[in-house]
Amino acid sequence: GLLGFFNNPVLGLFQVNTAHNLVHLISGIVLLAGAYSSLGSGLALKIIGIVYAIVAILGFFLVSGDGLLLGFIAMNPADQWLHVVLAVVILIAGFGLPDDEAKMTAI
């Protein structure tokens, strides 16, 4: 999320704007909150994974001719496929972790 605000060669593949960067920053905040709060890592990963899956699907169908998802989030094909990969990896991690309640009762 923060890298999107700076010109760098890695992000040259992706179309970014402030709204896109904010989405990634919010995702990171939710994941950190999951790791350090009662929300739990598994639930945070599941939530973010589902959000990225929705964004990936929307990205293939609702990106306008000017490269904007829903009229304000910049996106191109590299972004669309990155969101697919992120959704899959994050969902695997989220469903692969044991439930936080199970860990608490085992202690």
Side-chain angles (χ1 to χ4, degrees):
L2 288 175
L3 284 177
F5 290 106
F6 302 99
N7 188 11
N8 67 71
V10 173
L11 291 180
L13 298 171
F14 305 102
Q15 184 174 343
V16 296
N17 63 3
T18 300
H20 194 140
N21 296 335
L22 290 174
V23 169
H24 285 280
L25 285 172
I26 292 167
S27 299
I29 291 167
V30 171
L31 290 171
L32 285 171
Y36 296 106
S37 74
S38 62
L39 177 64
S41 300
L43 182 58
L45 287 165
K46 291 171 189 169
I47 291 168
I48 294 298
I50 290 168
V51 168
Y52 274 113
I54 291 168
V55 169
I57 292 166
L58 291 176
F60 285 108
F61 297 105
L62 296 180
V63 173
S64 60
D66 55 359
L68 296 176
L69 173 64
L70 305 174
F72 67 98
I73 300 172
M75 187 174 285
N76 66 8
D79 290 304
Q80 293 164 340
W81 287 107
L82 175 63
H83 292 135
V84 169
V85 170
L86 286 172
V88 169
V89 170
I90 293 170
L91 285 170
I92 288 170
F95 284 100
L97 285 175
D99 290 335
D100 290 336
E101 297 89 24
K103 287 192 294 187
M104 295 301 281
T105 58
I107 295 177

